[in-house]
Amino acid sequence: MNKRLSWDEYFMGLALMAAKRSADPSTQVGCVIVKNDNSIASLGYNGFPRNTKNGDFNWIGKGEWINTKYPYVVHAEMNALLSAKGIDLTNCKVYVTLAPCNECAKAMVQAGIKEVVYYNDKHKDMDVFRAGKIILKKAGIACKPYQMKNIEVKIKL
């Protein structure tokens, strides 16, 4: 008998699927913004700015900052927030595959997000990610790790 997915499982699964659209070879990140009625407001994944061409930037993560991916990548959360285009995101919930950085946290606060659920916290010791959690906490936004369930979802494409 198939178990029906909970909303948390469903939306985190969608965030994990959205992450698969990213071309980043080391850190694919996906994000889903969900309204109170459990409808999807927006989705995003990390990638380079719209209207840039393949090869304009590279996915290198080490070296001189200006020559790495970091000044150019648009994070999944930011892509989801910007893709919402006029949808009121007040009190929405964010499901994201990586804990948010300080810049994404600030944008979520300004958008009125009420809760953030993240799947992975692999950069928890980096200042920009620590600051992200501090910003959310001071703004009264719940930020918590996704509670893994004993469920496996297989999608055959």
Side-chain angles (χ1 to χ4, degrees):
M1 181 176 180
N2 288 336
K3 177 190 176 286
R4 185 175 183 187
L5 296 176
S6 70
W7 286 117
D8 281 349
E9 291 165 332
Y10 176 65
F11 293 126
M12 190 56 76
L14 289 175
L16 289 162
M17 183 65 83
K20 296 296 183 188
R21 285 285 308 144
S22 172
D24 189 329
S26 65
T27 309
Q28 294 180 309
V29 182
C31 178
V32 179
I33 302 175
V34 180
K35 297 192 248 179
N36 286 332
D37 65 357
N38 288 320
S39 63
I40 296 168
S42 188
L43 294 134
Y45 57 89
N46 59 320
F48 292 131
R50 190 177 288 177
N51 298 326
T52 59
K53 298 177 188 142
N54 261 349
D56 281 351
F57 308 108
N58 65 61
W59 288 107
I60 295 170
K62 294 187 180 199
E64 188 179 0
W65 182 77
I66 197 73
N67 296 322
T68 67
K69 64 184 177 178
Y70 299 112
Y72 311 107
V73 169
V74 181
H75 289 180
E77 304 95 302
M78 195 67 73
N79 262 328
L81 289 166
L82 294 170
S83 293
K85 293 186 180 174
I87 296 172
D88 183 5
L89 301 178
T90 304
N91 293 321
C92 284
K93 189 172 184 177
V94 168
Y95 291 85
V96 63
T97 60
L98 185 64
C101 73
N102 65 314
E103 293 299 322
C104 292
K106 289 187 283 187
M108 287 188 278
V109 169
Q110 296 303 93
I113 299 299
K114 72 170 179 181
E115 184 176 351
V116 177
V117 179
Y118 60 88
Y119 185 81
N120 187 308
D121 200 11
K122 74 178 187 175
H123 300 306
K124 66 182 173 214
D125 295 326
M126 293 176 65
D127 285 346
V128 295
F129 292 94
R130 288 178 49 225
K133 287 191 189 119
I134 291 168
I135 290 165
L136 294 172
K137 182 177 182 178
K138 298 242 182 225
I141 297 171
C143 180
K144 61 185 182 184
Y146 173 68
Q147 298 300 311
M148 300 288 193
K149 307 286 192 251
N150 253 346
I151 188 166
E152 181 179 7
V153 178
K154 292 183 181 182
I155 300 172
K156 186 174 182 178
L157 302 175

